[in-house]
Amino acid sequence: VQQVESGGGLVQPGGSLSVSCAGRRSIASIKTMAWYRQAPGKEREFVASITYDENPNYADSVKGRFTISRDNAKVYLQMNGLKPEDTAVYYCHADCVLIIEGCNPLDEWGQGTLVTVSS
């Protein structure tokens, strides 16, 4: 585990929650930071990603509700309009470190943070 997530918790349907992820180093040189989630009994799925030059990408299921952002230290996921089906453990992922010649593989995951959407 090289990334550390925080900010999970219990929220009512329609509510908002923000989670963040910090690496053991600056993430400024990491090409793409991403959020994935895994609901009970389901496979891990892609949620959102953001490149080093701040281009975001979202799963269809969260478009318009979730916003991913990053700074040199952390990647953030702002979740609005939460639904019970958003309940899952949320993981951040760092893919590779940019260097002059390309990108050195990193493939680092955090330990996850639980988000529960329930009334």
Side-chain angles (χ1 to χ4, degrees), residues 50-64:
I50 186 166
T51 60
Y52 67 99
D53 54 355
E54 302 191 20
N55 286 317
N57 187 35
Y58 298 95
D60 288 342
S61 59
V62 306
K63 277 181 183 176

Side-chain angles (χ1 to χ4, degrees), residues 55-109:
N55 286 317
N57 187 35
Y58 298 95
D60 288 342
S61 59
V62 306
K63 277 181 183 176
R65 299 189 298 122
F66 290 12
T67 302
I68 189 171
S69 60
R70 65 188 285 177
D71 57 29
N72 284 347
K74 294 185 179 182
V75 60
Y76 307 89
L77 188 67
Q78 175 66 41
M79 300 178 286
N80 299 326
L82 282 161
K83 305 175 182 179
E85 51 263 43
D86 294 318
T87 295
V89 177
Y90 284 71
Y91 300 89
C92 68
H93 179 259
D95 64 348
C96 59
V97 179
L98 289 166
I99 58 174
I100 294 175
E101 300 85 1
C103 205
N104 279 339
L106 200 59
D107 194 23
E108 289 185 349
W109 291 91

Side-chain angles (χ1 to χ4, degrees), residues 8-31:
L10 173 65
V11 63
Q12 293 187 343
S16 298
L17 198 64
S18 180
V19 293
S20 63
C21 171
R24 59 189 173 113
R25 63 175 81 81
S26 166
I27 67 169
S29 60
I30 295 177
K31 183 179 178 182

